[in-house]
Amino acid sequence: MGIDIDDLRWWIDRRKRELTLALAALLAVSAVGGGLWWWNAVRWRKPPSIFDSPVDDVLGYLALPDFNKLPLDERMRFMLELSDRFRGADGAESAAWAGFLAGVKGPVRAQLTQNARVLAKDILADGARNYVNLPPAERGKYIEEWVVKWSKMGERLATGKERERSDSDRIRDFKQQSERGETRMEGRDIPDLDDSSALGFLDFWQSEVEVASTPMEQGQIAKFLDDVRGHFSKAF
């Protein structure tokens, strides 16, 4: 039995409104579904729990662009907790850490390196931005407070605790090191995080952060670091 074309047209005309609404609903569902897929695929991912997540998840987050989207204080908190977990790792977990790091190559390694550059840049840029907006009379005090703060942070990252030294003792050491013309960078590629020569660490990172900085940030950082060196050493 064949289909009567006139009957089919009559049925479509009668059902035109229902068909239009059904098509609109189908398109809406498709759009929502596609939107949800896109959101899950490209949305920012929050950091995993340092102490409750698998090693691969924790270390893997360091190699994601999402890490750079965290505020500076949250990134530093992540790094501090990460170092605490690493120091407390048992044999099996230590092996997992080593296995993950051994497999970091290619684009993952490049992103991890870039994240380290951006973190260092943001530390310096934050300090420089605050510094250049201060009256000249307040800048010396700010430099000393800033260097002491980040030297303590480096000690906490490296050893889990700050050395038992007063701020005035730390400042005196910085000045003595600079005045003697000491350089803790000589003979090694990267200064120790708990090295008392915070100035040497700044020297190392200055060459690295330039590639991750805007022209304005570069100018402010250069000014800031020159003044930091000049504050602690007559040699500069």
Side-chain angles (χ1 to χ4, degrees):
M1 179 177 177
I3 298 177
D4 188 287
I5 298 300
D6 291 333
D7 289 344
L8 180 59
R9 287 174 178 169
W10 177 84
W11 185 87
I12 291 175
D13 287 340
R14 291 284 303 272
R15 298 292 188 271
K16 185 178 293 184
R17 184 173 182 275
E18 290 88 341
L19 289 173
T20 300
L21 292 174
L23 180 60
L26 179 62
L27 291 174
V29 170
S30 298
V32 171
L36 289 174
W37 174 87
W38 177 87
W39 169 252
N40 284 320
V42 304
R43 64 176 177 152
W44 172 79
R45 280 166 282 188
K46 67 179 182 179
S49 171
I50 296 292
F51 298 100
D52 299 326
S53 302
V55 169
D56 287 359
D57 290 348
V58 175
L59 291 178
Y61 191 79
L62 286 176
L64 292 177
D66 294 333
F67 180 73
N68 292 332
K69 299 176 183 177
L70 292 172
L72 177 58
D73 60 339
E74 291 187 27
R75 276 177 284 167
M76 293 311 304
R77 182 164 60 250
F78 186 92
M79 297 301 297
L80 287 170
E81 292 179 355
L82 181 66
S83 65
D84 287 342
R85 178 171 176 179
F86 179 77
R87 279 188 298 274
D90 57 22
E93 193 166 76
S94 295
W97 285 69
F100 179 90
L101 294 174
V104 174
K105 300 175 182 178
V108 176
R109 183 181 182 86
Q111 184 63 56
L112 184 61
T113 301
Q114 177 65 9
N115 288 0
R117 287 195 186 105
V118 171
L119 177 59
K121 182 269 293 184
D122 287 347
I123 290 172
L124 293 176
D126 181 69
R129 182 171 52 252
N130 294 329
Y131 175 76
V132 298
N133 289 318
L134 288 174
E138 299 178 15
R139 290 181 174 182
K141 182 174 182 291
Y142 177 84
I143 285 174
E144 293 182 355
E145 291 175 345
W146 189 88
V147 172
V148 166
K149 170 187 173 182
W150 287 104
S151 68
K152 290 179 178 179
M153 181 68 73
E155 291 166 4
R156 290 176 61 195
L157 281 169
T159 67
K161 61 181 181 180
E162 300 171 8
R163 292 186 299 165
E164 295 183 359
R165 307 206 67 198
S166 68
D167 291 354
S168 59
D169 285 342
R170 291 172 184 271
I171 292 168
R172 185 174 60 251
D173 284 349
F174 295 148
K175 290 181 177 179
Q176 289 175 348
Q177 290 162 10
S178 296
E179 289 169 0
R180 289 196 304 264
E182 292 182 350
T183 171
R184 298 297 185 92
M185 293 291 292
E186 186 175 356
R188 58 188 181 184
D189 295 329
I190 302 176
D192 297 335
L193 284 175
D194 62 343
D195 198 324
S196 60
S197 180
L199 305 182
F201 188 77
L202 294 181
D203 285 339
F204 169 79
W205 277 115
Q206 186 175 16
S207 62
E208 292 293 320
V209 301
E210 289 179 351
V211 297
S213 308
T214 66
M216 178 179 290
E217 288 173 334
Q218 289 176 15
Q220 291 181 344
I221 290 172
K223 165 65 175 172
F224 180 48
L225 293 186
D226 282 346
D227 287 357
V228 169
R229 296 188 192 97
H231 183 79
F232 286 109
S233 176
K234 296 176 182 178
F236 294 94

